[in-house]
Amino acid sequence: ILYAMSVTDHKKVYDLSQALKSAFHVTQGAESSVLSGQPSVLFGGATPMDFVVLQDQLEREIAKALAADPDAVGAGHQGQDGQQAVTSKISERGLVVSLASSAFFHPGDAALRPETQALMRTVAGALKRSGRSIMVEGHTDDLPIHTPRYPSNWELSTGRATTVVRYLIEAWKLPPERLSAAGYGEYKPLVANTSPANRAK
């Protein structure tokens, strides 16, 4: 284990993480990714293994919350389009936790949906215990919005990011200096905005 953690070979770290998951009977979420072979200096100077451990903790806590209260957590576990509400992957940036907008927000709105509160608490708890800096990034699809509150997708995406930041501070007392928020509008899509299904992602 010490050898695998001391080298910069991501495949060795990934192989180790899979062995540990198997030994401790940890099931990996359907959308969790493998280490990508990107540069080994990750966000905040942490090692790849730090993020493997954090990812496993998050996935375990979501599974535990679903088992303990499937009605409360399950209501927000998938978006209206069937997308998994929370997914995670490890990249050169660190651990990227994705919240499906269709699960957490109504279209054209930046308020958290009430039925996702239990799932959001689980995610927030894992992030708080990590002790790490957190960048919250908001996104939208490419459909234009023109309302008094959100004149464009820039305001909507930024509003979604700051809603999550406020939740982490007010409900979970995360130190504000650990948090930052950014909005990208429709300009950093996960997939091309070529269909309703793609826009939902």
Side-chain angles (χ1 to χ4, degrees):
I1 291 174
L2 291 176
Y3 169 74
M5 292 174 68
S6 69
V7 297
T8 58
D9 187 331
H10 281 192
K11 183 172 188 317
K12 286 188 175 71
V13 176
Y14 174 68
D15 290 342
L16 171 63
S17 74
Q18 294 300 96
L20 289 173
K21 287 179 184 181
S22 176
F24 291 102
H25 308 291
V26 176
T27 57
Q28 185 161 335
E31 295 298 324
S32 297
S33 76
V34 301
L35 292 175
S36 62
Q38 296 294 326
S40 60
V41 179
L42 299 184
F43 186 67
T47 66
M49 197 60 183
D50 291 333
F51 293 108
V52 170
V53 171
L54 179 56
Q55 183 183 39
D56 282 347
Q57 288 172 346
L58 176 64
E59 291 174 355
R60 281 199 305 271
E61 291 185 27
I62 290 173
K64 183 178 178 181
L66 278 167
D69 195 350
D71 291 335
V73 180
H77 195 53
Q78 287 192 332
Q80 291 182 321
D81 52 5
Q83 273 187 278
Q84 190 172 343
V86 180
T87 58
S88 61
K89 67 178 181 179
I90 298 171
S91 77
E92 70 277 6
R93 302 174 62 202
L95 178 63
V96 179
V97 180
S98 298
L99 310 178
S101 62
S102 60
F104 288 89
F105 302 101
H106 289 292
D109 195 11
L112 284 169
R113 296 165 65 105
E115 64 269 26
T116 64
Q117 292 292 320
L119 185 56
M120 192 68 201
R121 282 196 301 272
T122 301
V123 174
L127 295 178
K128 182 176 182 178
R129 285 187 291 277
S130 76
R132 300 200 172 278
S133 296
I134 300 165
M135 164 69 86
V136 180
E137 300 172 337
H139 300 269
T140 69
D141 60 27
D142 65 344
L143 297 177
I145 183 171
H146 301 289
T147 68
R149 189 167 188 180
Y150 305 115
S152 74
N153 281 324
W154 286 110
E155 286 83 5
L156 177 57
S157 63
T158 304
R160 288 176 171 176
T162 55
T163 292
V164 174
V165 166
R166 283 199 317 273
Y167 178 87
L168 294 174
I169 294 171
E170 293 169 5
W172 277 88
K173 311 304 180 192
L174 267 77
E177 60 270 18
R178 282 180 52 195
L179 299 166
S180 57
Y184 296 119
E186 67 265 38
Y187 296 105
K188 289 193 176 183
L190 187 65
V191 293
N193 284 289
T194 54
S195 68
N198 278 6
R199 289 187 179 94
K201 296 179 181 180

